[in-house]
DNA sequence: TTTATTACTCTACAAATGTAGAATAATTTT
DNA sequence: AAAATTATTCTACATTTGTAGAGTAATAAA
């Protein structure tokens, strides 16, 4: 099961904080902050979906992500690539290189990284 | 306004066909194919959202995408990059290079592309 | 020990999504 | 012309999503 938009927004906050009490999560929202109960509902649903866990501390719960941002992001990417590039990562890579506008400096850095990757093959 | 999942699925079909009658769209679905009326509803909503247009041909309509796949994809990518990499395309690029597993050949091709891009700067 | 406060859970409800039957209009076949 | 077919629109309804008030239990403050 996937995260909905507002769930994902909350997840972003949780990833940033790494772990947090509900109160702090609400606090971290940009204005207008949602009601505590709203966040509570989202957290509940996210627990059902196995994206969030918590540790009981006193009578409070410290929530934490059960899925890493990296992992989640990868899945998203793969989904996109699958849909739009017929599952071809390299096709995507070339599209990406052509269509985004990285500066020359950034391009050089990227090439650097690729070189390194090639070396390690 | 964004496309929902099932709308996006239909959009993929429409992009592939470039233009098509409702009947053909339904036909193009993998089994189990949805009811004609289901596709009709989706098309209607997609028109409201300005993602689809049509040309009347006799008493039928030939539907076509009003947003290119490329353009749509770019927006999706930018959304992801914004959320996960704080809007830094280059940060994303390096993540991508590290985390996906392109073959050596693909990596070389990619570097080739980057080189060309740099040249054109 | 009454009263607040805190931290959740339950219930609710409008909007969006996924899916499709029923109705209607135009056209073609008998 | 009556009957069947085609192409769309209307209406409907179960789920999921976005948002939050009301209720409850435990603890802290008066």
């Amino acid at each position: 099961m996937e995260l909905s938009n507002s769930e994902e927004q909350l997840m972003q906050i949780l990833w940033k904080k790494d772990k947090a009490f509900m109160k702090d999560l609400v606090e971290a929202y940009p204005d207008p902050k949602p009601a505590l109960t709203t966040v509570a509902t989202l957290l509940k649903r996210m627990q059902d979906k196995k994206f969030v866990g918590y540790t009981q501390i006193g009578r409070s719960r410290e929530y934490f992500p059960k899925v890493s941002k990296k992992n989640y992001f990868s899945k998203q990417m793969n989904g996109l690539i699958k849909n739009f590039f017929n599952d071809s990562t390299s096709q995507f890579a070339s599209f990406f290189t052509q269509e985004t506008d990285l500066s020359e400096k950034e391009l050089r850095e990227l090439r650097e990284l690729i070189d390194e990757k090639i070396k390690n093959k």
Side-chain angles (χ1 to χ4, degrees), chain A residues 9 36 41 45 51-52 56 95 97 102 109-110 114:
Chain A
Q9 189 188 9
L36 256 169
T41 303
R45 290 177 185 166
F51 278 89
V52 166
Q56 192 73 40
F95 170 91
T97 316
L102 294 171
E109 284 166 7
L110 183 53
I114 291 172

Side-chain angles (χ1 to χ4, degrees), chain A residues 48-106:
Chain A
D48 292 347
K49 295 180 179 178
K50 312 287 185 200
F51 278 89
V52 166
Y54 66 82
T55 329
Q56 192 73 40
I57 299 212
R59 73 226 60 300
S60 285
R61 296 168 179 185
E62 190 167 48
Y63 295 94
F64 60 85
K66 294 186 80 170
V67 175
S68 77
K69 181 166 169 168
K70 191 156 153 178
N71 196 268
Y72 183 82
F73 175 78
S74 289
K75 287 222 174 61
Q76 298 289 299
M77 277 299 307
N78 280 119
L80 266 191
I81 291 175
K82 181 173 199 140
N83 278 328
F84 287 86
F85 294 95
N86 224 64
D87 230 341
S88 158
T89 306
S90 64
Q91 204 182 314
F92 162 73
S94 63
F95 170 91
F96 176 75
T97 316
Q98 300 309 297
E99 294 303 322
T100 55
D101 48 25
L102 294 171
S103 70
E104 180 167 349
K105 178 154 163 293
E106 289 170 333

Side-chain angles (χ1 to χ4, degrees), chain A residues 3-79:
Chain A
L3 292 180
S4 73
N5 284 328
S6 59
E7 285 164 356
E8 193 176 298
Q9 189 188 9
L10 177 51
M11 200 67 183
Q12 290 287 351
I13 295 176
L14 189 52
W15 275 320
K16 193 164 295 170
K17 297 201 157 296
D18 202 59
K19 59 186 179 175
F21 295 96
M22 206 168 63
K23 200 172 100 110
D24 304 315
L25 290 172
V26 175
E27 212 30 62
Y29 269 83
D31 293 309
K33 304 185 196 312
L36 256 169
T37 47
T38 299
V39 175
T41 303
L42 291 177
L43 283 173
K44 177 79 56 80
R45 290 177 185 166
M46 287 156 91
Q47 282 163 234
D48 292 347
K49 295 180 179 178
K50 312 287 185 200
F51 278 89
V52 166
Y54 66 82
T55 329
Q56 192 73 40
I57 299 212
R59 73 226 60 300
S60 285
R61 296 168 179 185
E62 190 167 48
Y63 295 94
F64 60 85
K66 294 186 80 170
V67 175
S68 77
K69 181 166 169 168
K70 191 156 153 178
N71 196 268
Y72 183 82
F73 175 78
S74 289
K75 287 222 174 61
Q76 298 289 299
M77 277 299 307
N78 280 119

